Amino acid sequence: MKISFISLASGSSGNCYYLGTPEYGILIDAGIGIRLIRKVLRDANIDFCKIVAVLVTHNHADHIKTVGCLGEKYNIPVYATETVHKGIAKSRYVEEVLVGSRRIIVKEEPFCIRDFEVTAFEVPHDSSDNVGYHIVCGQHKFTIATDVGHITETVSTYLCKANHIVLEANYDEEMLRYGTYPAFLKERIVSPTGHLSNREAAEFLATHYTPEIKDVWLCHLSRDNNHPELAFKTVDIRLFQEGIRVGKDLSLVALKRTTPSDIFEFE
């Protein structure tokens, strides 16, 4: 079965990812406008009507902006933990209240969306609740972990199960340290419930690499404290120090904040 992956947007202005087969697909987060979602999918020759589910990681605005519209206007089931759903219901950024489309999931209890076996797992972040997703379809195993304060044993376990990894690389430590953010915001970002730096992502990937890992996408890059070339270079250099060659041993892509990625397809 052919699997396709696209990043529609990845950053503090909005996050949305697509994973699908030729027959159907799912969105992971929906923090960008419905028109943009439809346009990116149309440009990729993906029928919006084939979206059968939305998985939500947490209830920050850049991840949930359009879940109400998708759920209630288009009748697409929206999956999230009970705590995240409560946060969505209280959010001023979501216009439509989720009712019939609301689906409750429990961390580390697998559930199926057609051929996708999905498991949500705990990810530390300063939202009401936050999860990553491990998604298995045939021989392909995807793990997405965004807005990661630090890599716990649980996060590590699910990342290490994957062939295809979407992992946060939010900020460069030097750029953040000497940047213009106020002290309280810098402290929030570097806290154990904040975000993951380029260096931390690179260190994890370099020390946990196995030949089963085929693709890594660096996600949720900061607008002010990072850029794709720097995130890529930081991880590339650290992997090379361990004898892991980007482009030969694995594919590495730093996702852009507001520009859709290429379509990545896997047989």
Side-chain angles (χ1 to χ4, degrees):
M1 183 182 297
K2 185 170 73 174
I3 306 296
S4 299
F5 170 77
I6 306 171
S7 169
L8 286 73
S10 182
S12 56
S13 298
N15 298 271
C16 187
Y17 308 95
Y18 169 87
L19 189 66
T21 74
E23 287 75 40
Y24 63 90
I26 64 174
L27 297 178
I28 303 164
D29 287 334
I32 57 176
I34 185 64
R35 290 183 181 178
L36 182 55
I37 291 174
R38 294 182 68 107
K39 179 183 185 302
V40 174
L41 294 179
R42 183 173 62 250
D43 290 347
N45 294 315
I46 295 170
D47 186 351
F48 174 80
C49 294
K50 292 183 178 180
I51 300 297
V52 298
V54 182
L55 307 179
V56 181
T57 59
H58 63 293
N59 62 297
H60 283 168
D62 56 322
H63 297 260
I64 63 169
K65 178 180 178 180
T66 311
V67 294
C69 175
L70 291 167
E72 296 305 305
K73 181 177 180 180
Y74 294 99
N75 300 310
I76 300 173
V78 177
Y79 292 81
T81 66
E82 185 170 9
T83 303
V84 170
H85 268 302
K86 288 178 180 178
I88 292 171
K90 295 177 181 178
S91 175
R92 67 180 186 272
Y93 300 102
V94 179
E95 295 181 1
E96 297 87 349
V97 177
L98 295 175
V99 182
S101 61
R102 193 172 183 262
R103 302 289 188 275
I104 302 295
I105 62 175
V106 177
K107 295 171 200 170
E108 300 198 68
E109 289 190 9
F111 60 98
C112 289
I113 301 172
R114 301 201 184 180
D115 297 301
F116 291 165
E117 182 183 274
V118 182
T119 306
F121 58 92
E122 176 78 26
V123 173
H125 189 55
D126 58 2
S127 53
S128 60
D129 195 10
N130 192 47
V131 301
Y133 287 100
H134 181 66
I135 303 169
V136 179
C137 185
Q139 64 181 342
H140 297 288
K141 301 175 182 179
F142 288 80
T143 296
I144 178 167
T146 181
D147 297 64
V148 184
H150 66 284
I151 296 180
T152 63
E153 183 176 345
T154 296
V155 174
S156 176
T157 295
Y158 283 97
L159 289 171
C160 290
K161 290 181 178 183
N163 312 119
H164 315 286
I165 292 173
V166 184
L167 178 62
E168 181 175 51
N170 178 256
Y171 65 96
D172 173 76
E173 292 170 341
E174 292 296 306
M175 288 183 70
L176 178 65
R177 182 177 299 117
Y178 297 109
T180 58
Y181 278 15
F184 79 89
L185 185 52
K186 292 180 180 180
E187 291 172 2
R188 173 195 170 246
I189 290 169
V190 303
S191 77
T193 55
H195 291 280
L196 204 67
S197 72
N198 294 344
R199 180 189 61 79
E200 290 169 319
E203 187 64 23
F204 176 83
L205 292 167
T207 54
H208 291 78
Y209 169 80
T210 69
E212 284 70 38
I213 298 174
K214 304 301 182 184
D215 301 277
V216 174
W217 296 276
L218 305 176
C219 71
H220 208 285
L221 275 64
S222 169
R223 178 187 64 186
D224 300 311
N225 302 302
N226 209 355
H227 53 80
E229 295 80 7
L230 180 56
F232 180 96
K233 182 178 179 181
T234 302
V235 175
D236 183 22
I237 290 173
R238 184 66 187 90
L239 290 173
F240 187 76
Q241 290 172 347
E242 299 297 327
I244 305 160
R245 297 157 296 177
V246 169
K248 187 172 180 63
D249 297 317
L250 80 169
S251 169
L252 176 67
V253 175
L255 299 173
K256 296 182 179 180
R257 299 178 62 257
T258 58
T259 304
S261 70
D262 294 334
I263 304 174
F264 300 93
E265 295 183 332
F266 313 96
E267 294 288 351

